Amino acid sequence: MVEPRSIVEFRGVTVRYGALTALRDVSLDLRPNEILGIIGPAGAGKTTLLKTLNRTVELIGGAHVAGTVLLDSEDVYRTRDVSRIRRCVGMVAPLPVGLPMSIFDNVAFAPRMAGVRHREDLAEVVERCLRQAALWDEVKDRLDQLGTKLSGGQQQRLTIARALSHDPDVLCLDEFSIAVDPVTTMRIEDVLKELRSTMGILLVTNLVQQARRLADRTAFLLGGELVEVGTTESVFGRSPADRRTFEYVHGMFG
Ligand SMILES: Nc1ncnc2c1ncn2[C@@H]1O[C@H](COP(=O)(O)OP(=O)(O)O)[C@@H](O)[C@H]1O
Ligand SMILES: [Mg+2]
């Protein structure tokens, strides 16, 4: 069988913050139409891994990246066009980061930056992204209201709509449900299952059961190292490749 082409490939990625090694020689790939769960206790290097993909890790003083990161076969650290790379990656942070502007403008922000000018074109993008994020029905009659006035769960869906607004090839979510109620979490999980048909998703989660519910494959990071990656079935099954994986997914530490 031919292996499907990867959308993202981390090859031997090592990240240091000054003297601290946050990631050590991590190799991992994301395939098309896949949700790759990334689990591991706090400090494992999960957020750092996501930040190497859109090169926001460079914005951290003292950060140093070694190894190779490929996005759609393009070398992220050799490209001349970092902003293009950032457009290909939709990033959703743990806490919603709403811009202090209307719901409409929050989602229209990136398309406007990319040169979309006509109101109808912007309205089309805004509606599509809000629908994809399962927020449209709740906000369609008040698009000019401040985004920051929405509830926490709605704001997190607005963040997802914004991440989708530049048509990314990869959607990265970093512990999206930390400040979201369980009902909204379930709604967003349904959104992710739908989105999988159109893009690859890197799902960093502190909730191992969330990876179990959603991920096609799951990677376990510990202390900056990739302990193992495999089908979610095998990682959560009776005999994952590494004993530490078994202990972590069954709540024996972390
Ligand atoms: N801005 C930073 N400066 C220095 N060290 C950092 C910074 N961000 C994270 N670290 C360290 O890097 C390691 C990995 O952190 P992080 O990627 O945030 O892990 P996780 O998301 O799995 O909790 C941790 O030891 C953390 O303390
Ligand atoms: Mg983190």
Side-chain angles (χ1 to χ4, degrees), residues 43 46-48 94 174-175 204:
K46 306 181 297 296
T47 298
T48 299
D174 192 359
E175 304 190 349
V204 163

Side-chain angles (χ1 to χ4, degrees), residues 6 15 21 29 36 41 66 99 109 120 135 145 167 179 187 194 222-223 242 246 250:
S6 301
V15 177
T21 302
D29 73 322
L36 178 65
L99 303 171
F109 188 82
E120 309 88 83
L135 186 58
Q145 202 181 78
D167 236 342
R187 289 197 67 175
E194 288 287 318
L222 184 64
D242 195 290
F246 184 86
H250 291 93

Side-chain angles (χ1 to χ4, degrees), residues 185-204:
T185 295
M186 289 304 162
R187 289 197 67 175
I188 296 178
E189 289 191 4
D190 289 339
V191 166
L192 298 181
K193 287 182 210 155
E194 288 287 318
L195 287 174
R196 167 167 43 191
S197 62
T198 54
M199 65 188 71
I201 299 175
L202 284 175
L203 176 75
V204 163

Side-chain angles (χ1 to χ4, degrees), residues 35 129-139 142 151 153-158 160 164 171 173 176-177 180-195 201 210 213-214:
I35 299 181
C129 297
L130 288 171
R131 280 190 189 281
Q132 282 181 306
L135 186 58
W136 175 252
D137 288 340
E138 286 160 60
V139 301
R142 46 178 173 136
S151 75
Q154 289 172 325
Q155 285 193 51
Q156 192 57 299
R157 279 176 285 155
L158 182 61
I160 292 175
L164 295 172
L171 182 65
L173 299 110
F176 76 84
S177 51
V180 170
D181 64 89
V183 174
T184 305
T185 295
M186 289 304 162
R187 289 197 67 175
I188 296 178
E189 289 191 4
D190 289 339
V191 166
L192 298 181
K193 287 182 210 155
E194 288 287 318
L195 287 174
I201 299 175
Q210 186 165 68
R213 285 193 293 272
L214 290 179

